[in-house]
Amino acid sequence: MTQQIAVNGTTLGYDEVGTGTPVLLLHAGIADRRMWREVCAALADRHRTIALDLRGYGDSALPPESFAHRDDVVAVLDALDIDRAALVGCSFGGAVAIDTALAYPQRVSALALFGTAVSGHEWSPDTEELWDRLVGEIDEEDLAASAAGEVRFWVVGPHRRPEDLDPALIAFAEESDRRALAAEQALSAVDVVDLDPPAIGRLDELDLPVLVTAGAVDIPDIIRLADRIAAEAPRAVRLPDIPEAAHLIPVERPTEVAEALRAFLP
């Protein structure tokens, strides 16, 4: 059952399970907090585990005022009376986690990043060419077609065919992405305040434990970003890429993600 919390002039949806040291999980931009449910259940015996819908996504509202996701994350910690938490992020959620650690280093005890994006990163020409090859042109107003294209690119990935995956996974990913695309359309009309300067040139400032990995069949740019974080963040640990997983690692391989987190988190 969705819980709601009022912060920064909006209402955010979240799930909370377990007791122990606090962990806040941040979803991918093509999903919402539901992508973490199996991972949350696996951590609940050792951690106070909170999966958050970022503003505009899932069950979280989107007032018209300007905001920053990193400020919302810290406001949630304040509202839940959490002084410091480990942040776990996938894709866009990882970028929000990194931005939060840079803007509020005293509030973040550790980072765990799965197939993460990084604010300020510019995608390589190879990524655009890969999109053209796998997906091609899509009417952006057609949310169903857009979601199918994004799932083909991100969830299936460049090294697999859709028929290689469980149809239930494809269906869940497309339904999640349709909702996320609607959220992104709404967010485009709101002033979302970026971190300045962005994180891509500041990874050496992440002076805290950082766990980073990617799906072995994700797009090359994401794997290269994991390598770069591991090379530049002073206390980073680079796990091997997770086999048979693309961009939504916590959905495809929740057991492996939970095991990595249980070994890493204090």
Side-chain angles (χ1 to χ4, degrees), residues 6-58:
V7 299
N8 291 346
T10 191
T11 303
L12 304 181
Y14 71 102
D15 297 324
E16 180 176 347
V17 294
T19 58
T21 55
V23 179
L24 182 67
L25 300 106
L26 300 169
H27 59 81
I30 61 172
D32 54 52
R33 75 184 193 281
R34 293 176 297 164
M35 65 174 287
W36 293 109
R37 283 183 175 166
E38 290 190 54
V39 174
C40 286
L43 297 179
D45 64 326
R46 291 174 47 179
H47 298 282
R48 182 183 179 187
T49 308
I50 300 142
L52 178 69
D53 276 335
L54 293 166
R55 188 184 300 216
Y57 292 87

Side-chain angles (χ1 to χ4, degrees), residues 151 166-176 178:
V151 168
D166 183 346
L169 170 63
I170 298 289
F172 172 77
E174 289 188 0
E175 184 273 336
S176 297
R178 285 194 297 273

Side-chain angles (χ1 to χ4, degrees), residues 184-196:
E184 289 176 0
Q185 286 185 350
L187 283 160
S188 68
V190 177
D191 179 22
V192 183
V193 181
D194 295 329
L195 185 69
D196 186 22

